[in-house]
Amino acid sequence: MDLAGDVYTGGVVEALVREVGTDRIMFASDMTWIDPRPQLGCILDADISPEAKAKILGENVVRLFGLQI
């Protein structure tokens, strides 16, 4: 699942984490088309652990694509 675009409903990040887990969510695959700041704020403000935020904001993409960082 990708958290980019125009879904800013309060609680959506927490609901997705509950329903699909943090390993299946990533942030901003369409980052070059939109301003990522509003969606980034939703993630940073979400009531989820710092570890979950780290996965969503980058660790999952690194794992999914086998990137070396």
Side-chain angles (χ1 to χ4, degrees), residues 20 27 30 35 40 44 50 53 55 58:
V20 302
F27 171 69
D30 59 352
D35 182 349
L40 181 59
L44 293 175
K53 292 175 185 180
K55 284 183 175 186

Side-chain angles (χ1 to χ4, degrees), residues 1 6 24 29 34 36 41 43 60 63 66:
M1 304 194 86
D6 55 1
R24 298 182 67 195
S29 68
I34 64 165
I43 296 166
N60 289 338
R63 180 181 38 76

